[in-house]
Amino acid sequence: MRLLNLIVFAMDVAAAGVARADTNEQPVIRYGDLIHPVFGPAGMVASQNRVASAVGADVLSAGGNAVDAAVAVSFALAVTLPRAGNIGGGGFMLIHIAEDATTTSIDYREMAPPGATRDMFLDADGNVDNTKARFSHLSAGVPGTVAGLWEAHQRYGRLEWRELLEPAIALARDGVRVSYDMASVLGLRQERLCANVAACRYFYKADGSAYQPGDVIIQADLAKTLDAIARKGRDGFYKGRVARLIADDMKKNGGLVDKAALARYEPVWREPVKGTYRGYDIVTMAPPSSGGVHVLQMLNILEQFDVGTMGAGSADSVHLLAEAMRLAFADRSKHLGDPDFYPVPVDWLTSKDYGRELAATIDMARARPSDEVLPGVVVAPESPDTTHISIIDAEGNVVSKTYTLNLSYGSGIAIEGAGFLLNNEMDDFVAKPGVPNAFGMLGGEANAIEADKRPLSSMTPAIVFSDGKAWFATGSPGGSRIITSVLQMIVNVIDHEMNIAAATAAPRMHHQWYPDVLGLEQGYSPDTIQLLEAKGHSVRAGSFTIGSLQSVAYRNGVFRGASDTRRPSAGSVAAEPTE
């Protein structure tokens, strides 16, 4: 099949940093993996792994659309980026169809299995048992990735389903070269992963040693599972051999995901949330994503200030962003949850009136202590190792898609014989009010554990429109930092007039109400830090990174892609013109 040729192409791209993209077949160089303009009817794919991005680009060149490419890239990431790419997790996909100018979204977030209860992670003393909540079979929700990709393809896909999985099957069966990024993270996670026999066997050598950069890792059991999905569609995962392996492993180890729960899992098509910012239309994910609501809420606050004249990275700009973030995350703790179980006040939270009300509480000379900030009162009716894909095709169709296992390598538990890891998304629920989850996030009744409920997520796939046309799509991994990373991308492009490469590379900051700490990446000047501290911020500046934005854009006849260099091996790849 033509798509299998992409494996050689992908390795060439990874080695040389070159994509043959325009109508004259002239090589277009990626400068620092940040941007490569492409002229002509091609398309662009950005993901956290350049081999997977090349898979998607080849799908576009073979006549597939953005949804086809998203399916292929997602399954490829399950092989090339196993700590976050997955078939055992879940996520959200935002889809824009250019022909009829419609944008919709599919929620394939994991669900709490039957038998899940509010206090299931509390010990005899009523304290949260974090090991049980994050690293046990009980921590897994019913996976949604395969069902979500299948459903999106059934509605919008153009190429044959099996053809889209062939590259991932080949990569798993024949092996992929271990990158520096994969080797280093596997080295850090060895103790946890090797607590599970199957995970240790899948991700470490037979003698127990770790893979080194340049080694080849073969995932034969995963290839068999992917082949079953290729041949049988969603039933290849939710029924038959794979479902039996999951259910048997769960029963043996005290988990709750059984064959009945798998068979009845269904993704949900949801209307996206929509807003405007300085004349541009912003479309993003609705609950159970909290990110979409709060990005729009924060933009409504920022719209009351002349952000552009403050200058990117200035003390005033950072202070304003931090205060807006503090207000939004306070509201997140009370008002956000699964809309099928809780009446989330989306219209109120995203209203311009509420944005103006919150903006009026911001003192540009002083940081408010988080103890003084409470969630608003309604007066009107997701791991750092999540991963994101942005795709735009030659017709202007766009996919902005984020999916996850939650923490890096999820629960660290693999299904013996099936080759994939389980998520630990049950930790995204509130195990006990007032007790933070793994990302330090607080929550309440709206996000309490309940059977068949979907946990609240920070995943924030977004598309920005200019004059009714899709301009750029973006998203990021990073737990709670996803929301603030996407916000800063939009602000950098619109307010500070950066291109998507510069907007991606700019230093980022983060505040999430509690803990009351302003995190700053490297790149802010000592003077700026001193001014922020003088305003009352508790600043933590260091060598940590915030997010990993994956963005694509199309404007004035030019495709652009920007893959964040904060995480190694990411890459945006241009598609050759369709034959």
Side-chain angles (χ1 to χ4, degrees):
M1 299 294 292
R2 186 178 187 279
L3 292 185
L4 290 178
N5 294 331
L6 65 88
I7 296 172
V8 174
F9 168 72
M11 294 304 181
D12 289 343
V13 169
V18 175
R20 301 181 68 82
D22 67 2
T23 53
N24 296 317
E25 296 200 297
Q26 306 234 341
V28 180
I29 308 298
R30 288 203 306 275
Y31 297 97
D33 287 329
L34 283 178
I35 187 166
H36 46 160
V38 180
F39 297 89
M44 186 69 72
V45 180
S47 84
Q48 209 174 314
N49 181 271
R50 60 172 57 92
V51 173
S53 293
V55 168
D58 209 64
V59 167
L60 296 180
S61 294
N65 60 21
V67 172
D68 291 319
V71 170
V73 174
S74 298
F75 282 113
L77 285 170
V79 183
T80 63
L81 191 74
R83 71 174 187 262
N86 68 82
I87 57 174
F92 303 126
M93 184 189 294
L94 195 63
I95 303 169
H96 174 70
I97 302 300
E99 183 178 12
D100 56 7
T102 59
T103 306
T104 187
S105 65
I106 185 166
D107 167 5
Y108 55 97
R109 187 79 164 126
E110 303 87 341
M111 294 176 66
T117 61
R118 178 186 298 264
D119 299 332
M120 62 187 289
F121 296 126
L122 302 186
D123 62 20
D125 297 322
N127 298 314
V128 178
D129 182 338
N130 285 325
T131 299
K132 185 184 290 186
R134 297 170 191 171
F135 307 118
S136 74
H137 284 71
L138 278 176
S139 68
V142 181
T145 293
V146 175
L149 296 175
W150 171 258
E151 185 74 15
H153 179 264
Q154 292 302 292
R155 180 174 292 194
Y156 294 113
R158 183 177 297 160
L159 301 185
E160 292 294 325
W161 171 260
R162 179 178 179 85
E163 187 176 3
L164 301 176
L165 274 84
E166 284 177 347
I169 295 169
L171 289 167
R173 181 192 63 229
D174 301 335
V176 294
R177 293 211 173 271
V178 175
S179 64
Y180 169 81
D181 177 47
M182 182 187 287
S184 61
V185 177
L186 281 173
L188 292 171
R189 298 286 182 266
Q190 186 164 6
E191 182 178 355
R192 174 153 67 85
L193 287 170
C194 281
N196 177 258
V197 173
C200 196
R201 180 168 70 84
Y202 289 140
F203 298 110
Y204 300 89
K205 296 180 181 180
D207 62 2
S209 63
Y211 285 98
Q212 299 303 308
D215 289 343
V216 174
I217 182 171
I218 293 174
Q219 300 172 70
D221 283 350
L222 177 58
K224 293 176 184 176
T225 296
L226 292 171
D227 182 68
I229 297 168
R231 289 183 290 105
K232 300 178 182 179
R234 63 161 288 157
D235 286 351
F237 184 87
Y238 294 93
K239 296 179 181 179
R241 174 181 175 272
V242 175
R244 184 169 61 252
L245 289 171
I246 296 171
D248 289 349
D249 200 60
M250 284 283 173
K251 186 175 182 180
K252 188 187 304 182
N253 293 283
L256 297 177
V257 180
D258 57 18
K259 287 191 287 187
L262 289 164
R264 67 188 182 91
Y265 178 86
E266 292 293 340
V268 179
W269 289 97
R270 298 193 188 277
E271 183 69 21
V273 291
K274 301 175 182 179
T276 62
Y277 184 62
R278 306 198 194 280
Y280 296 97
D281 294 311
I282 316 294
V283 181
T284 182
M285 193 69 203
S289 163
S290 64
V293 167
H294 292 311
V295 163
L296 295 181
Q297 179 184 12
M298 290 185 285
L299 290 173
N300 288 338
I301 295 170
L302 297 178
E303 203 166 34
Q304 310 310 310
F305 299 84
D306 191 355
V307 177
T309 61
M310 293 180 185
S314 70
D316 278 350
S317 176
V318 174
H319 170 72
L320 175 60
L321 286 168
E323 295 304 288
M325 292 171 185
R326 192 194 311 268
L327 291 163
F329 276 92
D331 278 339
R332 185 188 190 278
S333 72
K334 180 176 181 179
H335 298 302
L336 270 292
D338 183 344
D340 296 333
F341 286 75
Y342 182 84
V344 181
V346 172
D347 291 343
W348 168 67
L349 288 167
T350 61
S351 69
K352 297 292 187 182
D353 286 344
Y354 188 50
R356 283 188 285 269
E357 178 185 328
L358 292 176
T361 69
I362 294 176
D363 183 344
M364 287 301 296
R366 170 183 175 267
R368 291 174 68 189
S370 289
D371 287 346
E372 295 181 8
V373 178
L374 298 176
V377 177
V378 181
V379 294
E382 243 224 147
S383 131
D385 284 308
T386 297
T387 193
H388 182 83
I389 304 163
S390 292
I391 300 171
I392 186 166
D393 65 24
E395 299 165 24
N397 303 311
V398 180
V399 167
S400 182
K401 173 190 180 298
T402 315
Y403 73 150
T404 186
L405 289 167
N406 195 28
L407 299 184
S408 180
Y409 293 96
S411 64
I413 297 169
I415 298 298
E416 182 64 52
F420 64 88
L421 291 156
L422 293 170
N423 69 81
N424 56 354
E425 290 294 353
M426 294 297 290
D427 186 57
D428 269 1
F429 285 113
V430 174
K432 182 179 181 179
V435 176
N437 68 5
F439 300 106
M441 302 286 277
L442 297 174
E445 182 67 28
N447 194 35
I449 301 171
E450 192 171 344
D452 296 331
K453 192 175 186 179
R454 299 169 198 256
L456 189 61
S457 172
S458 296
M459 294 184 286
T460 315
I463 304 174
V464 176
F465 293 81
S466 175
D467 297 325
K469 303 289 186 181
W471 175 14
F472 67 93
T474 191
S476 175
S480 55
R481 297 176 180 186
I482 294 172
I483 303 171
T484 56
S485 295
V486 171
L487 174 74
Q488 288 168 86
M489 182 70 178
I490 295 170
V491 169
N492 283 343
V493 172
I494 293 177
D495 286 308
H496 301 305
E497 299 181 348
M498 298 181 188
N499 62 43
I500 61 170
T504 300
R508 291 199 277 269
M509 46 75 66
H510 175 76
H511 202 298
Q512 62 179 52
W513 185 44
Y514 283 108
D516 193 353
V517 174
L518 172 57
L520 300 179
E521 288 185 329
Q522 288 183 334
Y524 292 93
S525 74
D527 290 346
T528 295
I529 294 171
Q530 288 177 6
L531 289 169
L532 289 166
E533 290 174 336
K535 291 176 184 287
H537 289 284
S538 176
V539 176
R540 178 186 168 223
S543 59
F544 56 86
T545 60
I546 295 174
S548 177
L549 288 161
Q550 307 297 325
S551 308
V552 296
Y554 181 79
R555 207 176 199 193
N556 299 324
V558 180
F559 288 97
R560 289 183 168 87
S563 283
D564 210 323
T565 55
R566 286 168 175 81
R567 303 209 182 169
S569 301
S572 51
V573 177
E576 297 178 2
T578 303
E579 294 177 355

